[in-house]
Amino acid sequence: MMAHRCAFQTIASPALTQREVEFTKSAWIAGLRPDQRGAQQLREVNVDFPLLSRDVSCVRCGGTIVTAAIACELVEPFPYRPKHGIIDFSVRQPYTERDSSAKTAELKKLTAFLERLIKGGGVVDTEGLCVLPGRRVWSISVDVTVLNDEGNVTDVAVWATVAVLLHYRRPELTIRGDSVILHPTHERDPVPLSIHHTPLSFSFAITMAPGDRNRLARGRRDSQEALEVVVDPTFAEATAASSSVVVAVNAEGQVCSVSKSEGSCIHLDEVNHCMETASLLAPHILSLIRDAMAAHDKRRQEALKRMFLWAQKRSGVTSEATEPEPAKKLKTET
Amino acid sequence: MSRASLRRDGRGHREMRGKELRTSELTQFDGSAWYSQGLTTVVAAVNGPVAARQEDYRKCGVQVYVNRAVRIPRAGGTDRLCVEEQRVEQRRMDAEVEMFLTASIQAVVRLDQFPRCVLEVHVTILADDGALLSVATNALMCALLDAGVPCRTTVAAVSIVALTPEDGSPVTAPTTTTTTTAAPEASSLLSSSLPLALLLDPTRVEEGGDGVRTCATATFVLSNSADGSNNSSGGVLVSQLQTCPRSSMHGGRMSSKDLVGMVALAERAAVSIFSFFRKCNVPLE
C-alpha cells in the first residue's frame, strides 16, 4: 500500500514518515485527527485575486497555495470542429529534489480530472465560444500553478479554476456579417463567460479497509468510535489512508463527478457519506469565492477612482489645477 | 517640470510604481518571496543548497527555472503557426530571464562555500507589465535572504528606458552637456546635442514604445553600499542593455554619456528599493 504513495515531502526520512503514519492511524482509532480538526472540517480556506486584473486567482487551504491564471484570444478553430471553441487546462508545480518521479503522473491525472470536470461536465459550453463558425472562435487557456503543496492539491486546484472562470471578463464583440469588431475594455465593458454551473470538488480519505475495521471492531469492546471518512486530508493523512475518494458537487447539490483511482475497496455507504458531506461543504466554498469576487471588484473601483482623480487634476477639470503629489505606495505584508 | 511631461499613469519620469512584498509563504521551500511592482508580479522560491551530482564539484551549481503563470491559448488552422511562433518567442524571453537571474546569483551568492551542491530557484511570473528582469531579480534577492543563503551583498535591480525627448519639452538626463565647444557647429550637431529622456521603472507599453522614439531598454543590478549610507550604492554587478537597431530612425544613438546617466539614475532609484526592503524587515511581534 505504501508503494502507491509519493514520498513524504517536508520530512524526508522514512523513519519519521513511518512515525507520522502510525501517529495518524492511532489518532483515527481514537476518533481524532492529528491537527485536531473534525472529521468534516476543512482547513482555513482563503480565496484571493492578487492582481488588479481579473485573470489570476489564488486559493490557500492551510499551507497549500494554488494559483490559476486564464488567457482568452480569438483564434481560428480546428478544422474538424468548426463550431466549437477551445478550452485548455494545464497544471504545473515547481519541482523539488524531494519529489518523486510519480509527481508528474499525478499532475497529469489532475489535468485530466480538471478537463473531465469542467469541459466534459458542461461548465463552459464550447459551442457558446463560437463567434463565426469555421473562422473565429474563442480560445481559453487555464493554467494552474501549485506553489505550495501540503496535501489536497486536487480540491484547491478546482476551487482556483472555478474562481478564475467565474471572475474573468472577455472583451465584447460586434459582429456585422463577416466582420468582427473586438472592443477594448475602455470602449465597452467586458463580458463574463457563460458558466452553467460551478462544480467544487472535495477529497476524502478512507481511514481503514473494511476487513481491518471489522477485525478492529471485534477486538475492542468500548463504545469509542473510530473515524471512517475524513475530508481535506493533509499529506500525512493521505499517506496513512487506505484509499481516497474525490467527489465534485455543484451549488445545487448535484453530484458532478466521483473519482476513486487507487487503494482498497470501500463501502457504498461511505461513498454516500462522502456525497452528503460534499453537498454540505460546497455552499461555504462558493460563498467564499463570491465574497472574494465582490472584494476584488471594490478594490478595482477604488483604484480606478484614484486614477480618475489624477486625470481630473491633470486636465484642469477643477478650478485649481495643481501638481499632483508623488504617489509612492509602499504596501508591506510580511 | 511641466505637466506635459507626466506619464500616462500619472507618474513622473523618476517615479517608481507601488511595491508589494510577501515572504515565507511557501513552506515547501527553504525561502520564498512574492514581489510586485505595479502589475508585474513574480513569485520566487529557493531550495538548497542541496547535495547533487554535477560536473564541476568545486563550487555550488545554480539551476533557475522560469515559468509563466499563463500560456498563450491554442489555435487551429493557420493560426496554429502564429501561436507556435509566439510560444517560441516567449520561451526565448524566458531563457533570457533565466540567464540574467543565473548571472545575478553567481555574482551575489558565495557559491564556493558549497562544493558538490546545487542551488535551485523556481521563478513563477504571474503577470508581466514591464520591467520584468528587475522585478524578478528583486524577488530572487528577497527569496535568497529568506532562505538564509550567504550572500556577498544585497542587490536591487532597476529598469530604465531611454527615448528621444519630444520637441516641446526636453527632459534632460542627470549628466550636463557643455555646448560651448560645439558652438561653431551648432547647426550640424543640433540633433545630437539633446540628451535622451530616461523613464524609470517602465510599463510594458513604455518598453515597447511607439517604435520611433525608444532608443534602449536597460536593466541594472546594483549592490548595497558598504558603509550603509542612504545616498549611494555599491556599483553595478549585472546589467543588460537592449538597443534599437541602427537602421531605425533613432537607433544607434546610445553614447557613453547616456549610459553614465542611466547608471546614475539607477543608483538613485536603488536607494529607494533598499529602503523599501529595510522597512519590510520589521520582525513579527
Side-chain angles (χ1 to χ4, degrees):
Chain A
M1 196 61 61
M2 292 291 293
H4 295 280
R5 303 291 168 181
C6 289
F8 199 71
Q9 283 197 335
T10 46
I11 304 177
S13 175
L16 288 178
T17 304
Q18 191 61 34
R19 296 297 170 271
E20 286 271 341
V21 168
E22 289 173 5
F23 175 68
T24 305
K25 287 180 174 177
S26 311
W28 283 340
I29 290 173
L32 301 168
R33 291 180 80 169
D35 47 1
Q36 305 186 37
R37 284 187 282 146
Q40 305 180 9
Q41 185 182 345
L42 300 169
R43 285 175 283 179
E44 186 188 351
V45 182
N46 187 14
V47 185
D48 191 20
F49 295 92
L51 309 184
L52 272 190
S53 52
R54 293 175 180 267
D55 48 4
V56 175
S57 78
C58 180
V59 179
R60 293 172 168 83
C61 178
T64 303
I65 303 174
V66 173
T67 298
I70 191 172
C72 197
E73 277 194 26
L74 263 186
V75 298
E76 198 173 326
F78 291 123
Y80 44 89
R81 302 197 86 196
K83 292 185 178 179
H84 285 253
I86 303 165
I87 182 164
D88 204 24
F89 296 92
S90 97
V91 180
R92 282 169 296 169
Q93 181 169 2
Y95 174 80
T96 58
E97 81 286 346
R98 296 181 281 241
D99 290 327
S100 67
S101 55
K103 178 64 70 173
T104 52
E106 275 197 5
L107 292 184
K108 285 198 183 93
K109 279 199 292 186
L110 181 49
T111 306
F113 179 71
L114 276 175
E115 200 123 356
R116 275 200 321 269
L117 185 64
I118 293 179
K119 187 198 277 189
V123 174
V124 181
D125 195 11
T126 51
E127 208 158 4
L129 301 174
C130 177
V131 176
L132 282 180
R135 292 171 61 175
R136 282 290 165 227
V137 294
W138 284 111
S139 174
I140 296 175
S141 169
V142 183
D143 285 75
V144 179
T145 305
V146 183
L147 292 177
N148 206 38
D149 183 358
E150 284 194 358
N152 198 21
V153 163
T154 307
D155 293 359
V156 188
V158 170
W159 304 341
T161 304
V162 166
V164 84
L165 285 172
L166 284 174
H167 201 45
Y168 183 67
R169 303 279 189 268
R170 61 162 176 82
E172 199 180 329
L173 301 171
T174 298
I175 306 168
R176 294 205 192 96
D178 280 348
S179 69
V180 180
I181 301 173
L182 197 84
H183 295 285
T185 51
H186 58 265
E187 279 186 19
R188 292 196 188 183
D189 280 344
V191 180
L193 302 172
S194 63
I195 308 291
H196 298 312
H197 60 110
T198 56
L200 301 168
S201 79
F202 296 93
S203 296
F204 297 88
I206 314 297
T207 55
M208 277 176 285
D212 294 343
R213 191 173 305 116
N214 293 337
R215 215 173 305 119
L216 181 70
R218 272 198 305 268
R220 49 192 297 171
R221 307 290 180 191
D222 49 0
S223 61
Q224 201 169 17
E225 295 183 359
L227 289 184
E228 297 184 358
V229 178
V230 295
V231 76
D232 187 22
T234 58
F235 221 94
E237 288 172 328
T239 308
S242 69
S243 70
S244 65
V245 182
V246 180
V247 177
V249 295
N250 56 10
E252 291 83 32
Q254 300 164 351
V255 176
C256 305
S257 173
V258 177
S259 169
K260 177 195 174 302
S261 58
E262 62 190 14
S264 67
C265 308
I266 58 176
H267 278 306
L268 191 59
D269 301 342
E270 287 163 353
V271 181
N272 289 330
H273 178 68
C274 293
M275 292 176 185
E276 289 164 9
T277 307
S279 302
L280 290 177
L281 293 169
H284 168 62
I285 299 296
L286 193 59
S287 67
L288 283 182
I289 294 175
R290 301 285 185 188
D291 293 346
M293 286 163 63
H296 188 245
D297 283 337
K298 189 179 298 183
R299 189 152 56 97
R300 279 170 55 94
Q301 290 289 330
E302 287 172 5
L304 202 63
K305 200 176 298 182
R306 280 200 304 265
M307 202 177 299
F308 185 68
L309 279 183
W310 163 75
Q312 216 175 23
K313 287 179 186 174
R314 185 189 71 164
S315 60
V317 173
T318 54
S319 56
E320 65 277 359
T322 57
E323 196 80 15
E325 63 272 11
K328 289 192 175 178
K329 300 176 283 294
L330 301 180
K331 288 189 290 182
T332 304
E333 299 179 32
T334 55
Chain B
M1 190 179 293
S2 63
R3 285 197 310 270
S5 59
L6 285 181
R7 296 197 244 180
R8 55 193 292 167
D9 53 355
R11 292 184 285 146
H13 282 62
R14 311 288 167 77
E15 210 173 310
M16 296 193 77
R17 291 177 284 182
K19 310 180 196 64
E20 183 178 345
L21 174 62
R22 297 205 290 258
T23 53
S24 303
E25 280 201 344
L26 313 185
T27 58
Q28 190 177 318
F29 296 91
D30 298 332
S32 69
W34 173 304
Y35 182 73
S36 72
Q37 277 177 211
L39 283 186
T40 308
T41 304
V42 171
V43 181
V46 170
N47 234 10
V50 292
R53 183 199 309 267
Q54 52 171 357
E55 305 292 328
D56 187 7
Y57 59 89
R58 286 167 297 180
K59 53 189 292 186
C60 185
V62 178
Q63 188 69 54
V64 180
Y65 304 97
V66 175
N67 275 308
R68 286 187 183 254
V70 71
R71 300 161 299 148
I72 300 172
R74 282 200 303 165
T78 53
D79 276 5
R80 188 196 307 244
L81 303 178
C82 307
V83 166
E84 199 55 47
E85 276 188 20
Q86 290 175 36
R87 285 187 176 178
V88 167
E89 179 70 18
Q90 199 175 69
R91 274 196 292 267
R92 191 191 60 81
M93 286 165 58
D94 290 351
E96 276 189 13
V97 176
E98 272 186 29
M99 285 195 298
F100 191 82
L101 294 181
T102 304
S104 304
I105 293 175
Q106 285 168 355
V108 167
V109 179
R110 311 185 62 167
L111 300 172
D112 47 309
Q113 292 188 350
F114 303 95
R116 292 187 174 87
C117 289
V118 164
L119 183 71
E120 272 184 359
V121 178
H122 298 270
V123 176
T124 303
I125 301 166
L126 287 185
D128 181 7
D129 193 41
L132 177 64
L133 283 177
S134 58
V135 175
T137 309
N138 290 331
L140 172 67
M141 187 70 234
C142 299
L144 288 170
L145 292 178
D146 188 48
V149 179
C151 305
R152 293 184 176 93
T153 179
T154 52
V155 297
V158 179
S159 286
I160 293 173
V161 158
L163 49 93
T164 309
E166 291 168 2
D167 302 327
S169 61
V171 180
T172 61
T175 58
T176 59
T177 60
T178 61
T179 58
T180 56
T181 60
E185 314 168 45
S187 59
S188 60
L189 295 179
L190 184 59
S191 62
S192 62
S193 65
L194 278 181
L196 299 174
L198 302 179
L199 296 186
L200 186 65
D201 195 16
T203 58
R204 186 175 220 173
V205 176
E206 291 161 353
E207 268 185 0
D210 48 10
V212 172
R213 296 174 52 212
T214 304
C215 295
T217 301
T219 301
F220 300 100
V221 178
L222 302 115
S223 74
N224 210 341
S225 55
D227 50 353
S229 67
N230 288 337
N231 299 323
S232 66
S233 70
V236 178
L237 297 183
V238 187
S239 70
Q240 193 207 52
L241 182 70
Q242 197 168 357
T243 57
C244 286
R246 196 169 289 269
S247 56
S248 65
M249 180 176 296
H250 295 283
R253 272 207 52 187
M254 283 294 300
S255 62
S256 53
K257 284 180 184 176
D258 299 318
L259 196 55
V260 167
M262 290 170 102
V263 173
L265 180 58
E267 283 184 358
R268 296 219 305 266
V271 173
S272 69
I273 300 184
F274 283 128
S275 62
F276 175 74
F277 289 162
R278 278 188 214 102
K279 284 171 192 166
C280 294
N281 200 23
V282 181
L284 300 175
E285 296 289 343

